[in-house]
Amino acid sequence: MTTSPPKISEHSAAALIARFLKARGVTRVFALCGGHIMPLWMRLDAEGIAIVDVRDERAAVYMAHAHAELSGGLGVALVTAGPGVTNAMTGIANAHVARASVLVLSGTPPRAQENRGALQDMAHCAFVAPLTRYARTVREPELVLQELDEALARALGQGGEPGPVFLDFPVDTQRAEVPAALQLPERFAPPPRARLLPDPEAVRQAVELLWSAKRPLVISGRGARGCGDALTKLLDRTGALYLDTGESRGLVPEEHASVVAAMRGAVMQQADLIVTLGRKLDFQLAYGSPAVFGQARFLRIADNAAELRDNRRGAAEILATPDEALRAMLSAAGKRESATDRAWAAEQRRQHLARAAKLAASMADAKPGSDGLMHPNRLIAALRDALPADAVVVADGGDFLSFARVGLSAATYLDPGPLGCIGVGTPFGVAAALACPGRLVLVATGDGSFGFNAMEIDTAVRHRAPVLIVVANNGSWAIEVRDQQETHGKVVGTRLQFADHAAMARAFGAHGERVERAEDLPDAIARAQAALAEGRPALLDVLVTPEAASSDAKSGLAWVPDLQPLAAWDDAERAWRAGT
């Protein structure tokens, strides 16, 4: 007699997990199915939570990551045991470095089969723990709500740094019933977002520092999201200049007089005060080294230590919710006039505008390579012309990302982040299209990075996610090709073929076109947008010359200098350390 699979009761732990997530505002879960998570899978569906089933677990976590970034809340991924979790680890690592609020759920074999050689029996927590804020295997059904509550608090940064968390449940635990008495209602209610108020003395010190500076520069990061209004008022009041390195693009409109992105290198060297707002001093900011920032002092503002004290301490520091800190500073300053050198600031802005205009003109006129293929900047220029003001832009890749980062503007922008985790483009784009209906979502990606998760076009088609994927196809890992040619005199294993990605997109049911001439781009983009309007994803496979050198390819980033990420900074660091 064969034992039939047990029914999944509405009083089971799996049902409790699903109800908890629904109560906490989760409407969509990104997932790939498997027997060890099937009870939870079916109860999520029963609760009306949409399941976006993907083709690889890594993509599920990427999608949850993008959803969290765009919603300002929690992203949820559900992956099965063993290889499901190991496949997901790159996505977890990316969310870890990016400090994205992601909950990853999984399952394990039944408790009676643990450590006996069961199918896909692995100690998941042992290898995801270093990549998460919280990792637990929940074996007791009675503890499910408690563990979920704690995991979400950690993911959202309530009392610490936000980031990914991980919970897994033996499949028999998922099926087990939880006594009604233990289903306490306070576990289901979402707690209010905690706001950390600044210390008045720290605010006083910060105001004195900023209002006394002659050449202040504000650099915002992930922790600054949500404080655009207060930041804009601070810039207006002080006349400080402003840079964003990509983590919070769109926080301050490009039209604002403080924005000087095209003068990044110059203002970093000239500023006498650097204000970091929810921003680490990582490799993208030369670790805050005096070799790059000179004698500038630092004012650091963040709501967690990871963005407050890394690499350089501030002459003043505020541990508080950035929005609260900025408002407190504005209030404490009253009508005090700042000492900012307005002529210096105006000149930096003038040069920024001149450089930006020159770049725009040069992009539109960029010459093709000796191979006859268009320059990547011609593609960027065509995309710029076609993008609406509220577009969501996802930039992905190594070489092409460098062109897109400089040339594409967007109020909402996502990229691989500080881990440099290329391949996020298509999954990020699918999640963005689902999270932002009615807005054009563009994925601008290189052909190498596109290959990592190209199969997720199938996911986009099945779930009617109208994302526009534009592949800059140069048939190579271009940064590495250039480094090998210039450093080693030989190209080894870094050339790809000019594969027909548009044909693959059409095979999955998406709109797909190959574009070989720059003059054909406007019409091709228009046809792609028409497909999006019908609810179909679209892909343009655009042939570009591998001869074009991006700014990252020229910077020495590929050969990984010893002391700093860029060759020029590395030279400056060596000279500074030597006292020359």
Side-chain angles (χ1 to χ4, degrees), residues 367-510:
K367 303 303 180 188
S370 63
D371 51 13
L373 298 177
M374 78 178 80
H375 194 286
N377 274 337
R378 290 294 300 272
L379 170 57
I380 295 293
L383 293 173
R384 278 175 62 108
D385 291 342
L387 286 179
D390 67 344
V392 179
V393 171
V394 180
D396 189 16
D399 196 61
F400 188 61
L401 173 63
S402 181
F403 291 105
R405 183 179 63 237
V406 174
L408 287 177
S409 59
T412 305
Y413 174 88
L414 299 173
D415 67 18
L419 186 61
C421 190
I422 65 172
V424 301
T426 301
F428 273 20
V430 171
L434 295 173
C436 305
R439 297 173 65 183
L440 188 145
V441 176
L442 166 68
V443 175
T445 179
D447 56 329
S449 55
F450 172 68
F452 280 95
N453 287 287
M455 282 292 290
E456 299 308 328
I457 294 176
D458 173 69
T459 304
V461 170
R462 288 183 292 105
H463 290 277
R464 295 187 61 80
V467 55
L468 171 57
I469 302 166
V470 177
V471 181
N473 189 348
N474 64 10
S476 67
W477 300 99
I479 289 180
E480 287 72 20
V481 167
R482 179 168 295 273
D483 176 51
Q484 288 179 343
Q485 288 173 330
E486 296 179 354
T487 306
H488 306 281
K490 184 180 182 181
V491 176
V492 181
T494 53
R495 293 203 189 278
L496 302 171
Q497 59 176 319
F498 287 92
D500 191 342
H501 304 298
M504 183 186 69
R506 291 193 298 271
F508 285 126

Side-chain angles (χ1 to χ4, degrees), residues 42-58:
M42 300 310 296
R43 290 311 308 178
L44 288 171
D45 177 72
E47 289 294 332
I49 295 176
I51 296 175
V52 180
D53 54 307
V54 301
R55 300 300 301 266
D56 186 278
E57 289 89 356
R58 172 181 48 181

